[in-house]
Amino acid sequence: MKTIGFAAYDTETPLAPFEFERRGLRANDVAMEILYCGVCHSDLHTARNDWGWSYYPIVPGHEIVGRVTQVGASVSKFKVGDSVAVGCMVDSCQECDQCKKGEEQLCREGMTGTYAGYDRVTKEPTQGGYSKHLVVREEFCLSVSDQLDLAKAAPLLCAGITTWSPLKTWNVGEGSRVGVIGLGGLGHMAVKLAVGLGADVTVISRTKDKEADALALGANRLLASSDNDAMGQAANHFDLIIDTVPVKHDLMPYLALLDVDATLVLVGQVGPLEELSTVPLLMGRRRVAGSPIGGIKETQEMLDFCAEHNILPDCEMIRMDEINEAFERMEKADVRYRFVIDMASLEAPATA
């Protein structure tokens, strides 16, 4: 299938149109027209090769909502016309212990990324959702309820599951005390989902500037990390802190906020952190953990939960040809809270 997208051609130049071919359908594949694609900070990192594993040209995008246009002979869960979604991965070995328990993101052989990965059969590079069409194996295609606004649902496929997974892993529910560090794309979803689960939620930010936003999203309060008195009063308060900060930073101010046996989980920064003292960890049996996305079953549960509780990200819709401006604004944190590309702005019919 010939299609078109926007690709990064190197680390420096703006993303630009890119014509390429999707693979033909295998028996267990689903083909879709992409309707909307969220813009994730990972897309920007990949375009810039910040993590060192990009190839070029590369089409980013792993927050994908679309409509089924064709299915392979053995596909049973989907039919033409269904609303579907694809997140950060499109394949895994399906045989290891992690895959068999629904943790494909932790596949022992490594999951296949929606972009910046390699097809497990053909070994060709995978290309993401900044494009008109996608082909994916049935097991990695997700159902989207009619109750969800398709135009806003795309960021759930990364920002949503990235924050939902630790909330479920650490058993957040009614009365859980949850802190969220940072109120960007990840942070605002962590707030909405934790509130939906019945938690008492505190946004932790450097200043009080975002207090009104935090309360509007459903948080119970905002804690300013620059206020030493307030931080002292919040000692031992949290059962779980979700840290969404996407750059190198100091964890020490936050560790004393954890109760005994509580956890601070990192979901934002990929790379080094400031030096850490073990004293608050040892003295409170506290933990610092990391969490990637969730598995396919968990992602479907998150989508269904969001449909049931009407939880959606706050989005700004853009055209495909506005992506470079969106990247510039992301670098300045000038978005509330997620960009979504309307793929109708990228017209190109598929040809077999």
Side-chain angles (χ1 to χ4, degrees):
M1 177 188 293
K2 292 181 180 179
T3 191
I4 189 170
F6 262 56
Y9 286 83
D10 54 48
T11 61
E12 303 292 335
T13 56
L15 272 65
F18 174 53
E19 293 185 2
F20 64 106
E21 286 194 3
R22 295 289 188 188
R23 69 169 186 262
L25 258 69
R26 301 169 191 150
N28 63 339
D29 277 340
V30 174
M32 70 186 70
E33 177 187 5
I34 299 175
L35 303 178
Y36 302 100
C37 185
V39 180
C40 177
H41 219 281
S42 299
D43 302 344
L44 177 59
H45 285 305
T46 299
R48 304 284 187 265
N49 198 25
D50 292 337
W51 296 327
W53 56 59
S54 299
Y55 44 72
Y56 297 100
I58 191 164
V59 178
H62 57 202
E63 299 178 341
I64 299 165
V65 170
R67 184 167 292 116
V68 176
T69 58
Q70 193 177 354
V71 296
S74 67
V75 170
S76 59
K77 293 192 296 183
F78 303 98
K79 64 183 184 304
V80 172
D82 284 352
S83 297
V84 290
V86 174
C88 302
M89 54 184 172
V90 292
D91 208 349
S92 69
C93 79
Q94 299 285 285
E95 297 294 334
C96 71
D97 58 331
Q98 296 302 311
C99 287
K100 287 182 176 178
K101 68 179 185 179
E103 299 274 21
E104 299 93 346
Q105 79 280 16
L106 302 175
C107 175
R108 299 291 185 181
E109 294 185 10
M111 61 87 169
T112 301
T114 304
Y115 62 83
Y118 293 89
D119 187 272
R120 301 179 80 84
V121 177
T122 67
K123 310 304 179 186
E124 63 188 309
T126 58
Q127 303 288 8
Y130 292 8
S131 58
K132 196 65 178 172
H133 307 94
L134 183 71
V135 176
V136 61
R137 66 179 293 174
E138 177 182 25
E139 293 88 345
F140 288 79
C141 193
L142 297 143
S143 297
V144 181
S145 168
D146 292 338
Q147 294 175 272
L148 279 175
D149 182 348
L150 297 185
K152 294 183 178 179
L156 296 175
L157 279 303
C158 181
I161 187 57
T162 297
T163 50
W164 174 262
S165 187
L167 289 169
K168 297 301 287 183
T169 298
W170 279 277
N171 300 311
V172 168
E174 285 291 335
S176 297
R177 300 165 299 167
V178 175
V180 178
I181 306 174
L183 197 62
L186 287 172
H188 96 290
M189 282 310 309
V191 170
K192 290 190 175 194
L193 291 168
V195 169
L197 288 166
D200 180 276
V201 180
T202 302
V203 171
I204 306 170
S205 190
R206 283 173 292 181
T207 69
K208 287 277 192 178
D209 292 351
K210 295 184 178 180
E211 185 171 38
D213 290 346
L215 297 177
L217 290 167
N220 298 88
R221 67 195 64 82
L222 182 141
L223 172 62
S225 59
S226 59
D227 184 337
N228 292 331
D229 290 340
M231 290 287 281
Q233 292 170 13
N236 306 304
H237 177 73
F238 295 103
D239 303 308
L240 178 70
I241 296 176
I242 297 180
D243 184 342
T244 71
V245 177
V247 296
K248 182 179 180 181
H249 60 287
D250 185 7
L251 299 186
M252 290 303 295
Y254 310 111
L255 298 184
L257 303 179
L258 294 169
D259 204 350
V260 173
D261 281 327
T263 302
L264 184 151
V265 59
L266 296 155
V267 299
Q269 166 63 342
V270 179
L273 292 168
E274 299 290 349
E275 186 175 345
L276 188 67
S277 170
T278 64
V279 172
L281 303 180
L282 295 170
M283 301 309 293
R285 206 161 60 198
R286 302 175 176 104
R287 291 175 293 273
V288 174
S291 180
I293 57 171
I296 294 299
K297 180 180 178 182
E298 193 171 55
T299 306
Q300 187 65 64
E301 290 172 349
M302 179 272 305
L303 287 172
D304 295 343
F305 180 87
C306 289
E308 180 182 353
H309 295 272
N310 194 31
I311 295 174
L312 286 164
D314 290 11
C315 302
E316 179 179 337
M317 193 68 65
I318 63 171
R319 291 175 49 84
M320 186 70 259
D321 58 11
E322 296 174 317
I323 187 60
N324 294 300
E325 178 186 348
F327 274 11
E328 292 175 5
R329 289 179 55 193
M330 283 174 61
E331 291 180 304
K332 300 172 184 175
D334 178 24
V335 54
R336 293 177 58 183
Y337 289 95
R338 210 69 169 183
F339 288 118
V340 174
I341 307 165
D342 181 353
M343 300 311 298
S345 63
L346 183 65
E347 288 299 339
T351 56

